[in-house]
Amino acid sequence: MHIPPRVLTVAGSDSGGGAGIQADLKTMLALGTHGMSVLTAVTAQNSLGVQGAWELPAEAVRAQFRSVVDDIGVQAVKTGMLSSAVLVETVAELLADLRVPVVIDPVGVSKHGDALLAATALDAVRTKLLPTATVATPNLDEVAQLTGVRVEEEADMRRAAAAILDFGPRWALIKGGHLRAGHGDGEQAVDLLTDGTEEHWLRAPRHDNRHTHGTGCTLASAIAAQLAKGDTVPQAAMAAKHYVTGAIAAGFRLGGGIGPVDHGWRLRGEH
């Protein structure tokens, strides 16, 4: 009997299905793993933005985590929206006892600019959550929020990575998808993966598609899935970059705003 690698996502729900828990589970399935979830918050969310968010109690988060980990077990964990200092500290405490790879996506704002992390939780992310990470995957806005480092061009990404690594993750993946510099052409989406010694620049074509809701969740979940399958961190990041690039290329319109990336693009043999 084939039992797929087991991956746990600890994140919020996106009722529109493009990001959050929904994106995580779709990605994990597409990459041949069994996804499981710990729900941290419920959002009323669609292609236009987040209309409401309701955080779950810490005891509910703790109970879900223990229920899955103690019985089924996990081979990698990914975190997303944690919203408050209490939830950040609760999840950090739970992760500290695990001996599996952990991917921390320090979600700060939604694709539409809606705040998903309380300002009072930033210090807990820095001091409690990031030290548990095998890989931390901040975008440029989250780097600025956590470290004060503002990335204007590719060369600044090294400084950003160093500032994130100072908080304790083993690897930092600085996502440069919002960076339009690229030596003036802006034709590539560039990420930097480093542990402070090794450096891997991950480059992919930049697709002219505005329907990119869920890219951060998808990338972090893809890394976790690959780590659960036994990849090294650089291997996992490169495979995840390939997967999310295809998902962005196949992103589609939903509703009246920004649609999601297509998590199932490989299942149909596209690209």
Side-chain angles (χ1 to χ4, degrees):
M1 177 188 300
H2 170 67
I3 300 175
R6 293 145 290 160
V7 189
L8 179 64
T9 170
V10 183
S13 168
D14 172 3
S15 55
I21 288 277
Q22 289 82 351
D24 298 340
L25 294 176
K26 291 173 188 178
T27 299
M28 292 166 186
L29 177 63
L31 294 176
T33 63
H34 175 68
M36 303 168 292
S37 61
V38 170
L39 199 63
T40 62
V42 175
T43 67
Q45 188 172 167
N46 56 25
S47 70
L48 301 174
V50 179
Q51 292 78 45
W54 298 267
E55 181 181 309
L56 268 68
E59 54 266 35
V61 171
R62 190 178 291 109
Q64 291 175 83
F65 187 95
R66 291 265 61 94
S67 180
V68 171
V69 172
D70 294 347
D71 173 49
I72 300 171
V74 298
Q75 287 158 293
V77 179
K78 175 261 179 186
T79 72
M81 176 185 177
L82 299 180
S83 69
S84 71
V86 169
L87 286 188
V88 170
E89 290 168 3
T90 298
V91 171
E93 178 186 318
L94 291 166
L95 293 175
D97 293 332
L98 289 185
R99 296 295 178 264
V100 300
V102 173
V103 181
I104 300 294
D105 185 15
V107 175
V109 296
S110 76
K111 177 68 68 179
H112 306 89
D114 302 288
L116 298 177
L117 180 71
T120 52
L122 287 173
D123 196 52
V125 172
R126 296 181 189 107
T127 62
K128 303 286 179 64
L129 190 63
L130 287 176
T132 71
T134 306
V135 192
T137 65
N139 63 29
L140 302 186
D141 291 336
E142 290 155 358
V143 166
Q145 191 178 39
L146 289 166
T147 70
V149 174
R150 300 202 172 272
V151 176
E152 305 291 343
E153 56 186 31
E154 271 188 37
D156 296 333
M157 293 175 75
R158 284 194 178 97
R159 195 160 49 91
I164 290 292
L165 288 172
D166 280 346
F167 293 125
R170 285 167 47 198
W171 292 81
L173 177 63
I174 307 301
K175 299 179 295 193
H178 296 161
L179 189 65
R180 300 299 300 190
H183 302 295
D185 59 16
E187 293 178 357
Q188 288 192 320
V190 182
D191 304 329
L192 171 61
L193 173 72
T194 181
D195 64 353
T197 303
E198 284 184 48
E199 233 181 43
H200 302 269
W201 290 90
L202 310 180
R203 301 178 185 274
R206 186 184 293 279
H207 296 287
D208 184 18
N209 185 358
R210 70 187 292 261
H211 301 301
T212 56
H213 185 47
T215 49
C217 305
T218 299
L219 181 69
S221 295
I223 293 172
Q226 293 300 128
L227 291 172
K229 293 192 288 187
D231 278 5
T232 64
V233 170
Q235 288 170 338
M238 285 185 272
K241 176 78 168 179
H242 174 71
Y243 173 76
V244 78
T245 299
I248 291 168
F252 53 91
R253 181 174 60 82
L254 279 183
I258 299 173
V261 300
D262 187 349
H263 302 95
W265 68 272
R266 290 208 321 188
L267 302 179
R268 293 187 299 279
E270 297 174 9
H271 306 285

